[in-house]
């Protein structure tokens, strides 16, 4: 799902909780937009198998397997999803649907290229706080082949730079007041936190994320995101000297994957 593929908004939010001292103008104030063309992905690959009527998310934090019969089946380990349905459309195409608390909150189509080296994932994710949809069309490149008798989406994959994501998944607005910084997102999540203070809850986040952060230099911060007391990801954000560009580097502790990209002030 979008949450596992790219999800700019949530991790981007987590790393920007820091405020500059009350006596200075914060370089973080304003609205920022992530640039998907700068994205780079690394670390452990995404591994999945669709074979003999069953789909397995091998690299999920809590691996799961369900019947690929078009019906919804429960999964574990994803705070944004209770149930998933997998429908095989043809030997190169599969449809996924996601549900939370009995309500569908995402649909996507995966289409493998004719040479089987790339998969395009096109869909809509409405699992965020206020249900505002994030639409996207992103790609992954193949790292390892599928078994001879498995569907073409099977194998090992890694995210590819570029693609299209709606602004609702790329934007964040920041405002500082004293030592506090308020982050607001088009998808309904918001947070107010104090640099050097305790981990704070992100309001309206179905994943119930908590974040703590520490200064990593005059214009750089390290943020740790947690759920249920466990570390989910560690992220570093650095403001470039021009004051209009951020560099972002994230490591998922749940999957072992990494992501880097830049964002620009609007």
């Amino acid at each position: 799902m979008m949450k596992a593929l790219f999800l700019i908004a949530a991790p981007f939010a987590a790393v920007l909780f820091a405020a500059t001292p009350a006596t200075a103008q914060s370089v973080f104030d304003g609205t920022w937009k992530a640039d998907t063309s700068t994205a780079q992905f690394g670390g452990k690959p995404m591994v999945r198998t669709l074979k003999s009527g069953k789909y397995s998310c091998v690299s999920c934090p809590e691996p799961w397997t369900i019947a690929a019969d078009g019906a919804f089946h429960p999964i574990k380990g994803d705070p944004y999803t209770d149930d998933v349905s997998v429908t095989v459309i043809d030997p190169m195409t599969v449809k996924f649907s996601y549900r939370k608390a009995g309500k569908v909150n995402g649909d996507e189509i995966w289409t493998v290229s004719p040479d089987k080296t790339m998969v395009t994932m096109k869909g809509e994710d409405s699992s965020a706080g206020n249900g505002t949809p994030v639409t996207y069309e992103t790609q992954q490149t193949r790292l390892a082949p599928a078994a001879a008798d498995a569907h073409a989406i099977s194998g090992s994959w890694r995210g590819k730079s570029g693609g299209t994501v709606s602004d609702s998944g790329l934007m964040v607005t920041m405002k500082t007041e004293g030592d506090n910084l308020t982050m607001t997102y088009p998808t309904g999540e918001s947070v107010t936190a104090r640099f050097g203070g305790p981990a704070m809850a992100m309001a309206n986040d179905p994943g119930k994320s908590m974040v703590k952060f520490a200064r990593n230099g005059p214009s750089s911060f390290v943020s740790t995101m947690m759920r249920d007391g466990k570390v989910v990801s560690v992220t570093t954000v650095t403001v470039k000297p021009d004051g209009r560009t951020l560099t972002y580097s994230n490591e998922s502790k749940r999957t072992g994957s990494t992501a880097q990209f830049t964002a620009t002030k609007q």
Side-chain angles (χ1 to χ4, degrees), residues 28 95 221:
F28 293 101
K95 178 182 179 181
F221 304 88

Side-chain angles (χ1 to χ4, degrees), residues 130-206:
N130 65 3
T132 296
V134 176
T135 58
Y136 56 94
E137 185 171 339
T138 59
Q139 292 79 38
Q140 295 177 357
T141 55
R142 184 183 293 281
L143 300 181
D149 55 349
H151 190 278
I153 68 165
S154 304
S156 296
W157 303 82
R158 176 164 291 154
K160 183 178 182 295
S161 64
T164 302
V165 180
S166 61
D167 284 355
S168 54
L170 300 178
M171 309 289 281
V172 59
T173 298
M174 295 170 278
K175 182 180 180 181
T176 55
E177 293 184 357
D179 291 330
N180 296 315
L181 176 64
T182 297
M183 318 290 294
T184 306
Y185 302 88
T187 48
E189 296 90 342
S190 65
V191 65
T192 299
R194 177 173 56 86
F195 182 68
M200 301 297 290
M202 187 179 296
N204 297 321
D205 173 27

Side-chain angles (χ1 to χ4, degrees), residues 19-222:
T20 54
T23 56
Q25 173 68 38
S26 171
V27 297
F28 293 101
D29 281 3
T31 297
W32 299 80
K33 182 177 180 179
D35 181 357
T36 62
S37 70
T38 67
Q40 299 179 47
F41 301 93
K44 292 183 179 179
M46 288 159 274
V47 183
R48 49 191 177 253
T49 301
L50 177 52
K51 179 180 177 182
S52 302
K54 292 185 179 295
Y55 174 80
S56 297
C57 185
V58 180
S59 59
C60 282
E62 294 185 34
W64 48 267
T65 298
I66 62 173
D69 57 4
F72 279 99
H73 300 279
I75 67 166
K76 294 182 179 181
D78 187 337
Y80 303 95
T81 305
D82 293 332
D83 312 292
V84 179
S85 74
V86 180
T87 305
V88 178
I89 297 176
D90 60 42
M92 307 292 277
T93 312
V94 177
K95 178 182 179 181
F96 290 78
S97 292
Y98 307 89
R99 194 167 65 180
K100 179 72 174 179
K103 181 180 178 181
V104 174
N105 63 9
D107 291 290
E108 60 186 1
I109 300 289
W110 297 9
T111 304
V112 180
S113 61
D115 63 3
K116 299 184 179 181
T117 62
M118 186 174 75
V119 60
T120 297
M121 299 165 166
K122 183 176 182 180
E124 180 176 289
D125 182 346
S126 57
S127 64
N130 65 3
T132 296
V134 176
T135 58
Y136 56 94
E137 185 171 339
T138 59
Q139 292 79 38
Q140 295 177 357
T141 55
R142 184 183 293 281
L143 300 181
D149 55 349
H151 190 278
I153 68 165
S154 304
S156 296
W157 303 82
R158 176 164 291 154
K160 183 178 182 295
S161 64
T164 302
V165 180
S166 61
D167 284 355
S168 54
L170 300 178
M171 309 289 281
V172 59
T173 298
M174 295 170 278
K175 182 180 180 181
T176 55
E177 293 184 357
D179 291 330
N180 296 315
L181 176 64
T182 297
M183 318 290 294
T184 306
Y185 302 88
T187 48
E189 296 90 342
S190 65
V191 65
T192 299
R194 177 173 56 86
F195 182 68
M200 301 297 290
M202 187 179 296
N204 297 321
D205 173 27
K208 302 185 184 302
S209 302
M210 301 286 292
V211 177
K212 62 179 180 180
F213 51 90
R215 192 178 296 277
N216 194 38
S219 59
S220 181
F221 304 88
V222 175

